[in-house]
Amino acid sequence: MPLIALVGMPGGGKSTVGRQLARRLDWGFVDADAVIEERLGESIRAFFEREGEEAFRLLEERVIDELTRDPQPRVIATGGGACLREANRRALHDRCTVVYLRSTPEELFRRLRHDTQRPLLQVGDPLSRLRDLFAVRDPLYRECAHFIVETGRPSVSTLVNMVLMQLELAGVVPAHLARSPVEPPRP
């Protein structure tokens, strides 16, 4: 499939890994949240606060549908809540190769504890909120995903290599694209 979608919790590295993955594959990259913000003409946070989660999820569903119908080879970074809607899970799973970048709530808290841009984490106890979100979303990400990559603490380049290795082993991308840029050519 010429579309690879990354799913996972907020702060799990979808955009960062997605950009690097697209660069390594020489494919396009699109961040679903950036597309939404471009269409809104404002931040997701501002829209979310004014219109509420349901209005946001409806717009997100339309954007996911459009992005997964475009046949151009590319990597799509989804928003952390994209898999909440069944229509999104189905579109992503059926039209893309989906990689779940799985991070524990504790890892996410360590990364996000100073982030003020994520509306769902602007609460008194963000770690508890992350644990609650994870409990609901982890099964949905798993339902949507073809592959799961544990993020842990590796560097972005290591995560990209882990994703590429999974995709190469599954025959999704050719071996020469999955090779590390610093790895010597294979005989």
Side-chain angles (χ1 to χ4, degrees):
M1 263 182 233
L3 295 174
I4 296 170
L6 301 177
V7 301
M9 291 284 288
K14 298 176 300 291
S15 297
T16 304
V17 170
R19 276 188 197 85
Q20 294 289 333
L21 181 61
R23 190 173 297 128
R24 287 276 300 278
L25 292 169
D26 197 24
W27 287 9
F29 171 76
V30 64
D31 184 314
D33 283 350
V35 171
I36 292 168
E37 287 187 335
E38 185 179 305
R39 290 194 186 168
L40 291 172
E42 65 181 334
S43 72
I44 288 173
R45 181 178 181 173
F47 180 82
F48 204 96
E49 287 173 357
R50 191 181 68 255
E51 301 293 331
E53 185 171 0
E54 183 58 31
F56 171 72
R57 296 294 174 208
L58 188 60
L59 175 58
E60 181 180 53
E61 184 178 326
R62 287 196 299 265
V63 168
I64 295 290
D65 183 58
E66 291 171 25
L67 294 177
T68 59
R69 288 182 185 278
D70 186 336
Q72 294 301 312
R74 64 181 161 172
V75 177
I76 302 167
T78 65
C83 286
L84 291 172
R85 289 191 172 232
E86 184 179 346
N88 291 346
R89 291 192 305 274
R90 197 169 41 247
L92 289 163
H93 185 82
D94 294 350
R95 301 176 194 159
C96 306
T97 299
V98 180
V99 178
Y100 170 20
L101 297 180
R102 186 176 183 278
S103 303
T104 67
E106 293 73 21
E107 289 166 4
L108 294 167
F109 179 71
R110 182 179 45 80
R111 289 183 213 153
L112 300 175
R113 63 185 177 270
H114 302 297
D115 190 327
T116 60
Q117 299 306 307
R118 298 174 193 272
L120 291 172
L121 298 180
Q122 304 314 304
V123 295
D125 185 355
L127 178 56
S128 180
R129 177 71 169 144
L130 285 166
R131 287 177 175 146
D132 292 344
L133 289 172
F134 184 82
V136 170
R137 294 179 179 186
D138 182 62
L140 301 176
Y141 297 140
R142 289 173 180 278
E143 176 185 327
C144 184
H146 298 95
F147 303 98
I148 299 172
V149 174
E150 298 286 339
T151 61
R153 290 185 178 249
S155 67
V156 171
S157 60
T158 300
L159 276 174
V160 170
N161 285 336
M162 290 165 62
V163 170
L164 281 169
M165 184 175 64
Q166 290 290 321
L167 297 174
E168 177 193 356
L169 290 171
V172 175
V173 298
H176 73 279
L177 292 178
R179 202 171 311 132
S180 167
V182 295
E183 183 180 314
R186 295 176 186 152

